[in-house]
Amino acid sequence: MRPEAGARRRGSIVWRVAAASLLIAGLAVTLLFAASWSTLRRGTSEALAATVTTDIAGLIDIHASGGERELLRRVADRKDVVSLEGRRPHYLVARANGTPLAGDIRVWPPLSAALSEQGYVTLAGGTPVYARAAKLGPDLQLLVAREYAQDRETMRRLTHIFLAVGAAIVLGVGAVAMLTARGLARRIDHVNANLRAAAEGYPAALESPGTPRDEIDELALQGARLLARQARLVRVQKHVSDHVAHEIRTPLMHLDARLAAALQERSEPGGSGTLTRSRADIRTIVAMLDSLLDIASNEGRRGDLAGLSELDLSALLTDVAALYEGSVEEAGLALETAIEPGVTMLAERMQIVRLVSNLLDNAIKYVPAGGTVRLALTHGPRIIIADDGPGIPPEDRARIFERFARSAGQVSQPGHGLGLALARAIAQRHGLVLRLDETARGACFVAEPET
């Protein structure tokens, strides 16, 4: 996966929802485990405390009624008894200084008999127990303890069960979320691809889902309606443009013919009379109409491969450069070429010639004498037409490819500001992007495949 594709996927709402579902499932399982483990531990502690307290209370009663001798006898009888709940008991009757008198515990643990402390301790032999101490007299104290290995095993099994079940739940939620996200992302990508193609001028059509099943079907349905309406508007616009251009161009050509006939009857010495200037104006208007029709035609055929054939671009640009050698020399300029051999593409020969010619004409028109014009071709294909002239002011670069757009330095030159618009339309018709590249001096136009 390319880095930009990975970044785009991480930013997708669909994938973020899937990741959030996975995170929530993990947190829910973790919190449920923590609550269950805490409840079980608290219940175990309460049960141990109740068992030990009950046992030590009974021994205190025995000491109160039977004295120290009876207490020692009863402790000796109980030390080997295993309680019904499986928690093995341990006892210690000792003097105030810790000297043992009875029981199986040999060392007094860190619990205060005077404060009747209780809690989890580890006996001298390494056995973990829950114990409680009690002071029976000035020089006599009692300790009762219970092992809780069985409770620890229960908690261990609970932990393993939660880990296994929790992992299964998280993986299940993750798998469902991923499959759902992939499906949603695929459907949304399909809608986006068609809308993007339509926005860039390529013919595109969304398949209408009929009866929408969800929000994405509704989005596709509305997109299909929008594209269908756009296609109708484009057809109507083209029909109107063609009709208007024909209705204007035809009478202009008739008028030009009549002016030509009038010139034959009344010649204008020097070619600067009213009839001659009128014919020149007519030819200018007709040329502008032709350029507008060409732009519309190329934009309307964007993405249409009809009429394109495999073209030896290297040979074509070499021929174009040879044709321009005379014009460049006449303008006092130098023409440098760097054309890699063997570069081919699907193209319409005359349209590519018009694209390159428009850019070369512009360079010859605006670069002062002594300058250099460069024509380069590399594999891709990548066509570069650059010069070291005055360039295009920064404030005009954003609109330089618009129809009738002319920068301040172009106003004094003849033209209608349609050459670059036509060059861009031809480039788009052939799947290329024509852009103005940043350069330290002059202008640099680059035509290369869309990405």
Side-chain angles (χ1 to χ4, degrees):
M1 182 187 298
R2 292 183 301 176
E4 59 271 23
R8 189 167 59 249
R9 173 160 295 182
R10 287 192 296 272
S12 165
I13 293 176
V14 173
W15 288 100
R16 280 188 287 173
V17 169
S21 302
L22 196 62
L23 179 62
I24 290 173
L27 288 175
V29 171
T30 302
L31 290 175
L32 183 60
F33 168 71
S36 301
W37 194 88
S38 176
T39 301
L40 181 61
R41 181 178 175 81
R42 185 170 59 252
T44 299
S45 297
E46 290 175 354
L48 285 169
T51 301
V52 170
T53 299
T54 300
D55 198 4
I56 201 169
L59 293 174
I60 291 174
D61 286 342
I62 291 172
H63 174 260
S65 59
E68 181 177 328
R69 182 184 298 275
E70 181 63 17
L71 175 64
L72 296 177
R73 190 180 68 78
R74 293 293 185 92
V75 168
D77 291 341
R78 290 188 179 190
K79 65 179 184 181
D80 296 327
V81 176
V82 177
S83 63
L84 295 176
E85 67 271 17
R87 299 174 177 128
R88 184 177 180 82
H90 297 278
Y91 301 93
L92 175 58
V93 180
R95 297 300 179 192
N97 60 4
T99 303
L101 299 177
D104 56 345
I105 300 175
R106 309 314 305 170
V107 179
W108 187 269
L111 291 175
S112 172
L115 299 177
S116 295
E117 287 183 337
Q118 60 181 336
Y120 292 97
V121 296
T122 301
L123 300 180
T127 304
V129 297
Y130 185 89
R132 181 168 184 175
K135 190 172 182 63
L136 303 180
D139 193 28
L140 187 63
Q141 54 188 1
L142 173 63
L143 181 76
V144 175
R146 287 289 190 278
E147 293 185 9
Y148 54 92
Q150 185 175 353
D151 301 283
R152 295 175 63 186
E153 178 61 21
T154 301
M155 295 181 70
R156 190 183 65 81
R157 287 201 301 270
L158 175 68
T159 301
H160 289 170
I161 291 172
F162 258 99
L163 286 176
V165 175
I169 291 175
V170 171
L171 290 176
V173 170
V176 172
M178 293 289 284
L179 291 175
T180 304
R182 283 179 186 278
L184 292 176
R186 189 164 49 248
R187 294 170 63 194
I188 293 176
D189 285 345
H190 175 68
V191 175
N192 279 334
N194 283 277
L195 293 177
R196 189 182 304 114
E200 293 175 353
Y202 289 102
L206 272 173
E207 183 180 352
S208 178
T211 302
R213 297 170 301 170
D214 52 26
E215 292 83 350
I216 297 178
D217 280 350
E218 181 67 23
L219 176 64
L221 176 62
Q222 298 305 329
R225 290 176 175 173
L226 178 63
L227 292 183
R229 183 172 184 272
Q230 181 195 43
R232 288 196 301 272
L233 291 176
V234 169
R235 286 196 298 271
V236 170
Q237 181 188 24
K238 186 175 185 306
H239 174 74
V240 171
S241 299
D242 292 347
H243 185 71
V244 170
H246 176 75
E247 293 300 322
I248 293 176
R249 194 175 188 279
T250 301
L252 285 176
M253 295 305 297
H254 290 165
L255 179 59
D256 183 61
R258 286 197 290 271
L259 290 175
L263 273 175
Q264 288 181 351
E265 296 175 358
R266 191 183 66 184
S267 62
E268 294 181 340
S272 58
T274 303
L275 296 179
T276 302
R277 291 199 303 273
S278 299
R279 290 198 68 196
D281 291 341
I282 290 173
R283 286 195 293 271
T284 301
I285 295 173
V286 171
M288 182 180 66
L289 288 174
D290 288 342
S291 294
L292 287 173
L293 289 175
D294 284 342
I295 293 173
S297 175
N298 279 284
E299 289 180 344
R301 297 170 66 190
R302 186 175 181 180
D304 183 5
L305 299 181
L308 304 184
S309 59
E310 193 71 15
L311 177 68
D312 186 342
L313 198 55
S314 300
L316 177 63
L317 295 196
T318 300
D319 293 342
V320 172
L323 288 174
Y324 269 85
E325 283 180 353
S327 301
V328 169
E329 184 177 353
E330 185 178 342
L333 305 175
L335 177 62
E336 296 179 354
T337 59
I339 300 174
E340 291 185 358
V343 180
T344 62
M345 68 176 295
L346 277 179
E348 192 172 341
R349 180 182 180 85
M350 289 313 299
Q351 292 295 332
I352 295 298
V353 171
R354 293 191 70 182
L355 188 158
V356 177
S357 296
N358 277 351
L359 297 176
L360 288 175
D361 287 340
N362 272 349
I364 294 173
K365 187 187 300 182
Y366 296 110
V367 176
T372 302
V373 178
R374 299 178 182 84
L375 172 61
L377 173 66
T378 59
H379 286 275
R382 192 167 190 258
I383 305 171
I384 303 172
I385 293 97
D387 61 65
D388 55 1
I392 298 172
E395 63 272 17
D396 295 331
R397 292 181 179 178
R399 60 183 187 89
I400 198 66
F401 292 107
E402 296 177 1
R403 292 177 177 86
F404 304 108
R406 306 188 72 192
S407 66
Q410 296 175 325
V411 175
S412 60
Q413 298 288 342
H416 301 92
L418 295 173
L420 289 179
L422 176 58
R424 184 180 64 172
I426 294 173
Q428 291 174 341
R429 156 86 171 101
H430 292 80
L432 304 175
V433 174
L434 178 61
R435 58 181 175 82
L436 178 63
D437 205 0
E438 293 292 335
T439 180
R441 184 181 178 186
C444 179
F445 291 92
V446 178
E448 57 188 357
E450 299 175 345
T451 56

